[in-house]
Amino acid sequence: MSDFNKCYFTGRLGKDPELRSTSNGTSVCTFSLAVERPKAKNAERGETDWIDFVAWRSTAEYIARYFGKGRKVVVEAAARTRKYEDKNGVNHKVVEFNVTEIQAADSRPQGNNGGGSYGDGGYQQQYTAPAQDNFTPLTDEDGELPF
């Protein structure tokens, strides 16, 4: 049996996603998701974990365009570890979650955040990272898509 590396998270973006480009022009987007733990017995609220995510290429551009601070999302990701040495020569190990799919979990952005216009009816958007660079996402112009 092969190993399995797939994680699912539901939460709210703590701030607007940050879109950058690598030196060779590849788009990369980073964002943090506030994920609330189940509350303990007799507690008013659960504790919140802040999970860091990284998205690449067209997925990065999509997230930066359509999602903003406060937006509730469902994220599918794969855990990745990387090591680096800081300017003081100290070695660090970081666990990040690379986004493979993201979906809005609310019907429209809160306030003025969250990217493009969603219209009066509000609908949920979903995006899966393309397997190839020539991938063209489907549009739901007539409201017939099942997701």
Side-chain angles (χ1 to χ4, degrees), residues 22 26-29 54-61 98-99:
T22 63
T26 303
S27 297
V28 59
C29 179
V54 177
W56 295 92
R57 298 174 185 77
S58 58
T59 306
E61 294 164 10
N98 284 11
V99 177

Side-chain angles (χ1 to χ4, degrees), residues 21-56:
S21 293
T22 63
S23 58
N24 67 0
T26 303
S27 297
V28 59
C29 179
T30 56
F31 63 93
S32 292
L33 202 63
V35 178
E36 193 171 308
R37 294 183 207 161
K39 66 179 186 174
K41 190 175 184 177
N42 300 326
E44 209 169 296
R45 293 189 74 186
E47 292 184 44
T48 301
D49 290 306
W50 289 91
I51 311 295
D52 294 327
F53 292 90
V54 177
W56 295 92

Side-chain angles (χ1 to χ4, degrees), residues 39-121:
K39 66 179 186 174
K41 190 175 184 177
N42 300 326
E44 209 169 296
R45 293 189 74 186
E47 292 184 44
T48 301
D49 290 306
W50 289 91
I51 311 295
D52 294 327
F53 292 90
V54 177
W56 295 92
R57 298 174 185 77
S58 58
T59 306
E61 294 164 10
Y62 176 82
I63 291 168
R65 181 174 179 188
Y66 291 107
F67 298 99
K69 179 180 178 180
R71 195 71 202 268
K72 188 165 186 160
V73 295
V74 177
V75 178
E76 176 185 299
R80 299 281 189 266
T81 57
R82 65 179 170 89
K83 295 177 183 178
Y84 70 95
E85 186 176 311
D86 67 19
K87 61 184 177 184
N88 298 322
V90 178
N91 291 323
H92 296 272
K93 180 179 176 182
V94 177
V95 176
E96 295 172 325
F97 293 90
N98 284 11
V99 177
T100 54
E101 186 174 322
I102 187 166
Q103 178 177 342
D106 51 8
S107 60
R108 65 178 69 180
Q110 295 182 344
N112 293 328
N113 298 323
S117 172
Y118 288 81
D120 293 334

